[in-house]
Structure formats: structure tokens, C-alpha cells
């Protein structure tokens, strides 16, 4: 039986009694009908996970006891940064969730010339907090014990002008371009990659020039034009399959 995994934004130590986050506690108490003694897995994002158990259930408040911890590494050896133009609606939630499941290391939400979404400073901060909660839930589900970094949304041009865009020497940098003529797929890469996915209308010509100046190579994923959320998932899957840890295991 798969145990419920719970993330806590706190330092965990064997023998401690911790109160679980409100939404998690409510789900355990009201949906899963948790009882004292029920086993859990607890993690804080530092790469370790701890055996735990429900200590008490009082209405929608749940406490848990922390048991022994162990280093459990489910991180890809290939570090991927997803530079994602924020789409309209709730599709960014979907992208953040699936990118986390696919092992992305860092997510950089950006706003481009053709982005439909526009955010002021307060909205950007609120979105970042919301997406971090999506990351936490995805890590609880998929078994990751380290949370990928998610940056606050910012203008694309600001990112391309930052030190982060000019990554380490062994980092490959790609920008998806569906109108690119057919070309050979890249061969061996280093240990990390950045991949940029455009908005619903694609990147503008000036933006593609800015990517080129920042050292990004144009890349096409097959002959079909993919929606922005599909393109992100396809790109991450391709990178993890070719260079990361997505390998089929046969019994």
C-alpha cells in the first residue's frame, strides 16, 4: 500500500511532534478518515524522507510524530530549467504540476510580447505562491524529496538579460520554434539544459533574436504545432529520455 506523503515547511527531526498543514490535515481527517497510528511519509524538501505516523486527529487538525529519516534520491542527474511563457487560464498549473513530475529542476515563468496574461507586482507574487503550492502537491504525489525552484513571473527580456540566462558552460540552451526547418537533433549534451517555451502565439522575431544573443539554439519538436502546455511536456520528456533518468525497467 502506498503511504500518504506530506511536505512540511520545517526542520524535521526524529521524535518530534509536528502539526500538519491545514489543507493536508483536512484531507487526511475528512477524506481518508485518518486515525492515530496511521503511517505517513514526511519530507521537508532537503532530500530526506522520514517515517511518520498520525499522532492525533482533532476535527480538521492533525499532528504527526516523526520517525527515522533516510536520504532518498529521486532527482534526475540532468538538471533542466523550464523557461515557460505564462498561458491564460489554469494551464500554468498543469504545466507546473507535470514539469515537477517529470523532474524539472527550476521553472522560470515569463511574460513575452504576445502573452495574453498581464500581471502587476501583487498578482505576480500571488501567482508564485500558488504555483509553489502546486509544486509541493506534485512532489507529494510523485515521490520527489527536493522541491524544484519556481521563480516569480517576470518579463522575458528581464530574464534573457540576467546572469541566469547565461548559464554554466556545460548547460545547453534551447528555444522551441515550430516554424524551424527540419534539422538534425542535438547530440550529446552536458549535465544541464534550459528550454524555453513560448506563449499561445509563439515568440516574436525580436525575442528570437534576443534568445540567439543569449546563446539559445532554436529547436523544433516534430512536424506538428503543439499547444504551449503540450510543448512543455514533450520537451521535458524528450530531454529526460535522451539525457536524464527516464528509462524503461522490465521485470
Amino acid at each position: 500500500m502506498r503511504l500518504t506523503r506530506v511536505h512540511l515547511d520545517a526542520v524535521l527531526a526524529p521524535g518530534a511532534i509536528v502539526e500538519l498543514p491545514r489543507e493536508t490535515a483536512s484531507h487526511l481527517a475528512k477524506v481518508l478518515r485518518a486515525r492515530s497510528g496511521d503511517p505517513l511519509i514526511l519530507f521537508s524538501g532537503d532530500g530526506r524522507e522520514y517515517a511518520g505516523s498520525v499522532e492525533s486527529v482533532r476535527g480538521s487538525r492533525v499532528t504527526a510524530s516523526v520517525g527515522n529519516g533516510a536520504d532518498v534520491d529521486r532527482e534526475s542527474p540532468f538538471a533542466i530549467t523550464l523557461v515557460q511563457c505564462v498561458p491564460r487560464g489554469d494551464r500554468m498549473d498543469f504545466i507546473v504540476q507535470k514539469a515537477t513530475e517529470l523532474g524539472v529542476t527550476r521553472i522560470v515563468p515569463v511574460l513575452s510580447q504576445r502573452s495574453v496574461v498581464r500581471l502587476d507586482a501583487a498578482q505576480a507574487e500571488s501567482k508564485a505562491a500558488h504555483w509553489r503550492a502546486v509544486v509541493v502537491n506534485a512532489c507529494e504525489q510523485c515521490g520527489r524529496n527536493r522541491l524544484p525552484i519556481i521563480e516569480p513571473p517576470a518579463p522575458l527580456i528581464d530574464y534573457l538579460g540576467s546572469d541566469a540566462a547565461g548559464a554554466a558552460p556545460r548547460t545547453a540552451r534551447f528555444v522551441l520554434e515550430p516554424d524551424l526547418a527540419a534539422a538534425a537533433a542535438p547530440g550529446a549534451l552536458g549535465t544541464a539544459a534550459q528550454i524555453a517555451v513560448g506563449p499561445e502565439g509563439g515568440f516574436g522575431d525580436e525575442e528570437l533574436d534576443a534568445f540567439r544573443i543569449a546563446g539559445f539554439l532554436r529547436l523544433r519538436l516534430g512536424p506538428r504545432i503543439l499547444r504551449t502546455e503540450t510543448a512543455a511536456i514533450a520537451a521535458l520528456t524528450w530531454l529526460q529520455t535522451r539525457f536524464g533518468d527516464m528509462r524503461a525497467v522490465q521485470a
Side-chain angles (χ1 to χ4, degrees):
M1 180 183 69
R2 289 188 61 184
L3 299 182
T4 300
R5 287 170 44 85
V6 178
H7 172 265
L8 292 112
D9 192 11
V11 176
L12 299 177
I17 304 296
V18 293
E19 184 164 347
L20 303 189
R22 183 176 58 186
E23 290 187 8
T24 302
S26 179
H27 179 74
L28 283 168
K30 297 179 179 179
V31 178
L32 300 182
R33 304 293 183 184
R35 296 290 182 267
S36 178
D38 287 354
L40 302 168
I41 294 176
L42 308 173
F43 70 105
S44 65
D46 64 354
R48 294 174 64 81
E49 62 182 32
Y50 294 78
S53 62
V54 175
E55 181 74 13
S56 67
V57 180
R58 295 185 176 88
S60 294
R61 296 185 64 182
V62 179
T63 59
S65 59
V66 183
N68 292 328
D71 292 317
V72 181
D73 185 12
R74 298 189 180 98
E75 298 304 299
S76 174
F78 191 71
I80 304 174
T81 294
L82 173 64
V83 181
Q84 174 68 52
C85 282
V86 179
R88 59 188 174 187
D90 60 359
R91 284 184 288 175
M92 190 65 183
D93 289 13
F94 179 81
I95 293 169
V96 169
Q97 180 190 68
K98 300 311 173 190
T100 301
E101 292 177 23
L102 289 167
V104 74
T105 303
R106 183 164 165 252
I107 302 171
V108 182
V110 293
L111 304 172
S112 69
Q113 292 175 358
R114 297 177 180 172
S115 293
V116 176
V117 175
R118 291 289 183 263
L119 302 171
D120 60 27
Q123 291 170 325
E125 184 176 346
S126 176
K127 285 288 188 184
H130 172 74
W131 291 329
R132 186 178 186 277
V134 174
V135 164
V136 167
N137 289 337
C139 286
E140 289 177 337
Q141 182 275 324
C142 74
R144 292 182 68 175
N145 291 314
R146 293 190 183 277
L147 275 60
I149 297 168
I150 184 154
E151 304 285 354
L156 171 63
I157 198 66
D158 289 357
Y159 175 73
L160 291 178
S162 69
D163 292 338
R170 290 179 59 79
T171 299
R173 295 183 285 281
F174 301 106
V175 54
L176 295 188
E177 176 48 73
D179 295 330
L180 186 68
L189 301 182
T191 58
Q194 295 185 26
I195 191 153
V197 182
E200 289 87 339
F203 290 117
D205 291 339
E206 292 180 358
E207 292 172 327
L208 290 172
D209 285 341
F211 273 111
R212 177 183 55 79
I213 293 169
F216 283 71
L217 301 176
R218 296 188 188 188
L219 179 71
R220 189 181 77 164
L221 293 177
R224 292 168 295 280
I225 296 176
L226 305 178
R227 292 181 182 272
T228 184
E229 66 270 26
T230 310
I233 294 169
L236 294 174
T237 302
W238 169 69
L239 286 169
Q240 290 288 33
T241 302
R242 285 286 304 276
F243 311 106
D245 61 355
M246 291 188 71
R247 301 286 185 271
V249 177
Q250 185 174 359

